[in-house]
């Protein structure tokens, strides 16, 4: 193991945090371990005292994706500048002990910026991974365009969750660059077709005649929260339906639900929120309850939750944000609504729910086939191996 590359991955979110960003960080770290790297993760948390460093020797205890990863959780201070300055000190402490070969920023800011800045300061390689709306968010005020551009210019290897994000990174750099697109990998053994669990349906309070509109992850504005609410109202004018949120609503976006409850109390009563789920198996069981899965995102990289729903052979309706059209072929394995026309989401739901069961099943089967063809662990591992070879060629042979 002495010749194994030492990698430190910096992540803003990591299990037990919920959401696609946390899951993709765990999966990337775990996949690097399978390729023979020794991997540490530094992730921030508000559950620890400010500045406190907690270490989990095997992150498989918090996520099955991250077996063999050493996880360091660092308590945040009240202000971002203090937290980031202290993080640099902690990175120095960890590097003195482990002597990393590569620092990996999982999301462009702040993890990517810190990864590049620290790597530059100690003379080692860095790579950054654009995952979602991080490029769009930093391009415009109050985002920090100068920091974004510096990060992209100084990282040794650029990676992205979708080809769309890669094109945006090249546009900002003003030159062609080899951006490694790391396809999100779905465990198709866990996320698989199957019958809905009637006991789970009953436990969640879903009525026998209700159509289930599904969403998975942390629901917030960028994921299309207002359009999901209006779609629920529109569908319920025609037929019984509920909105199943597989996860939770981001606290600062909860005010949208409060306003919706005041205006549409009966519809709001049919919003069912599972809360955080402990295992991928539990998420898959909830996805199988969905008659149609919705991903009306305004900005995206390549949403894990959408891919997991497709792997479960759910009919999906998604926006055309980010890399979504790289997974969803409109009319073949799902349906696309332009992100400029998401006010039509409710009608799209009604159209899909009115299709014959055989046609919806065929759509779901085609969705699963797409996942099996393009979003499997072997495709992810191939790109990660290439990233390691480019970033630290002397340690990756």
């Amino acid at each position: 193991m002495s010749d194994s590359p030492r990698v430190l991955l910096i992540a803003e979110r990591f299990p037990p945090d919920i959401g696609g960003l946390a899951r993709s960080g765990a999966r990337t770290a775990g996949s690097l371990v399978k390729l023979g790297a020794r991997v540490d993760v530094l992730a921030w948390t508000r559950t620890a005292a400010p500045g406190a460093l907690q270490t989990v020797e095997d992150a498989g205890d918090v996520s099955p994706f991250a077996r063999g990863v050493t996880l360091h959780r660092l308590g945040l201070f009240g202000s971002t500048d203090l937290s980031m300055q202290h993080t640099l000190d902690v990175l120095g402490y960890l590097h003195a002990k482990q002597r990393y070969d590569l620092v990996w920023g999982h999301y462009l800011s702040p993890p990517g910026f810190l990864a590049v800045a620290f790597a530059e300061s100690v003379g080692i390689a860095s790579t950054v991974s654009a995952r979602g709306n991080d490029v769009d968010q930093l391009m415009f005020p109050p985002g920090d365009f100068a920091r974004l551009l510096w990060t992209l210019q100084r990282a040794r290897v650029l990676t992205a969750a979708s080809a769309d994000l890669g094109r945006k990174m090249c546009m900002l750099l003003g030159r062609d660059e080899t951006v490694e697109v790391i396809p999100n990998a779905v465990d198709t053994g866990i996320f698989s077709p199957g019958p809905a669990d009637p006991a789970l349906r009953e436990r969640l309070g879903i009525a026998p005649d209700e159509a289930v509109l599904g969403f998975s992850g942390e629901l917030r504005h960028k994921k299309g929260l207002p359009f999901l609410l209006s779609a629920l109202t529109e569908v319920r004018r025609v037929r019984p339906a509920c909105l199943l949120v597989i996860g939770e609503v981001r606290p600062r976006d909860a005010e949208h639900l409060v306003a919706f409850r005041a205006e549409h109390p009966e519809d709001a009563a049919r919003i069912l929120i599972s809360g955080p789920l402990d295992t991928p198996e539990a998420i898959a069981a909830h996805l199988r309850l969905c008659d149609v899965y919705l991903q009306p995102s305004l900005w995206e990289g390549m949403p894990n939750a959408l891919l997991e729903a497709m792997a479960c052979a759910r009919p999906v309706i998604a926006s055309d944000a980010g890399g979504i059209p790289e997974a969803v072929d409109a009319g073949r394995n799902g349906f696309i609504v332009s992100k400029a026309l998401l006010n039509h989401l409710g009608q799209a739901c009604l159209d899909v729910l009115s299709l014959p069961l055989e046609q919806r099943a065929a759509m779901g089967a085609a969705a699963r086939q797409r996942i099996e063809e393009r979003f499997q662990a072997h495709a992810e591992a191939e790109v990660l191996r290439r990233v390691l070879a480019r970033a630290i060629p002397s340690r990756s042979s």
Side-chain angles (χ1 to χ4, degrees):
M1 291 295 287
S2 59
D3 291 331
S4 300
R6 265 281 188 189
V7 180
L8 173 64
L9 185 143
I10 305 174
E12 186 171 12
R13 316 196 93 203
F14 199 86
D17 300 332
I18 69 166
L21 183 62
R23 289 209 298 283
S24 67
R27 201 178 55 246
T28 297
S31 296
L32 289 169
V33 168
K34 291 176 183 176
L35 291 174
R38 291 175 292 169
V39 181
D40 286 18
V41 170
L42 179 70
W44 295 294
T45 180
R46 294 195 181 278
T47 62
L53 185 65
Q54 303 171 338
T55 297
V56 178
E57 293 298 336
D58 187 343
D61 294 340
V62 295
S63 170
F65 298 121
R67 289 190 179 92
V69 173
T70 300
L71 172 62
H72 308 281
R73 302 194 73 90
L74 181 60
L76 285 167
F77 289 95
S79 64
T80 301
D81 59 339
L82 285 177
S83 294
M84 296 306 104
Q85 290 174 57
H86 182 63
T87 299
L88 278 177
D89 292 337
V90 172
L91 292 175
Y93 164 77
L94 293 174
H95 181 58
K97 291 177 62 179
Q98 306 295 353
R99 309 309 300 176
Y100 299 111
D101 301 296
L102 173 67
V103 190
W104 186 306
H106 193 73
Y107 206 72
L108 291 182
S109 182
F113 172 72
L114 279 170
V116 175
F118 179 72
E120 292 275 310
S121 73
V122 296
I124 61 176
S126 64
T127 183
V128 295
S129 186
R131 304 305 307 174
N133 69 325
D134 36 359
V135 175
D136 299 295
Q137 202 170 52
L138 292 170
M139 282 171 58
F140 304 107
D144 190 335
F145 181 82
R147 187 172 297 169
L148 167 64
L149 189 57
W150 184 88
T151 300
L152 297 179
Q153 289 171 335
R154 302 295 295 183
R156 183 173 295 183
V157 181
L158 301 176
T159 79
S162 68
D164 173 76
L165 277 172
R167 287 189 292 269
K168 289 178 179 176
M169 294 160 84
C170 291
M171 179 269 292
L172 292 173
L173 286 167
R175 65 175 188 266
D176 287 336
E177 183 78 22
T178 302
V179 179
E180 302 286 1
V181 177
I182 302 175
N184 285 334
V186 179
D187 187 331
T188 51
I190 295 174
F191 293 96
S192 60
D197 181 350
L200 177 59
R201 185 181 173 104
E202 183 178 355
R203 188 160 68 247
L204 290 166
I206 302 170
D209 61 343
E210 281 188 316
V212 180
L213 314 179
F215 171 85
S216 182
E218 187 183 42
L219 183 54
R220 54 198 192 275
H221 182 79
K222 70 160 265 194
K223 297 292 186 179
L225 170 57
F227 302 105
L228 285 168
L229 299 180
S230 60
L232 176 63
T233 295
E234 189 169 349
V235 171
R236 280 177 46 81
R237 290 196 193 108
V238 177
R239 59 179 298 165
C242 65
L243 173 63
L244 174 60
V245 177
I246 305 168
E248 60 187 9
V249 179
R250 178 173 282 192
R252 67 170 176 253
D253 290 302
E255 63 190 50
H256 291 288
L257 287 185
V258 174
F260 184 71
R261 286 192 187 100
E263 192 171 347
H264 303 282
E266 292 185 0
D267 295 334
R270 301 316 303 146
I271 300 173
L272 311 176
I273 302 174
S274 72
L277 298 174
D278 293 335
T279 65
E281 288 82 1
I283 296 171
H286 283 69
L287 284 169
R288 294 187 194 105
L289 299 177
C290 301
D291 293 295
V292 59
Y293 178 83
L294 307 179
Q295 193 76 48
S297 302
L298 300 173
W299 306 280
E300 269 300 353
M302 179 62 74
N304 284 279
L306 172 69
L307 302 179
E308 290 165 355
M310 294 174 70
C312 290
R314 297 298 85 205
V316 300
I317 304 173
S319 75
D320 57 355
I324 289 175
E326 297 167 34
V328 179
D329 289 336
R332 181 178 176 275
N333 62 15
F335 300 89
I336 293 284
V337 178
S338 167
K339 56 182 179 289
L341 299 172
L342 285 170
N343 55 305
H344 297 297
L345 181 64
Q347 184 57 54
C349 290
L350 289 169
D351 292 345
V352 172
L353 291 171
S354 68
L355 293 173
L357 286 175
E358 297 80 7
Q359 191 171 344
R360 283 157 58 188
M363 274 286 180
R368 169 132 181 125
Q369 183 178 1
R370 171 56 57 87
I371 302 305
E372 291 175 335
E373 290 171 351
R374 296 193 189 177
F375 299 95
Q376 292 275 22
H378 63 83
E380 180 185 53
E382 181 181 337
V383 182
L384 290 175
R385 188 178 289 109
R386 197 160 60 236
V387 172
L388 288 176
R390 287 181 59 197
I392 40 174
S394 63
R395 303 299 301 275
S396 307
S397 56

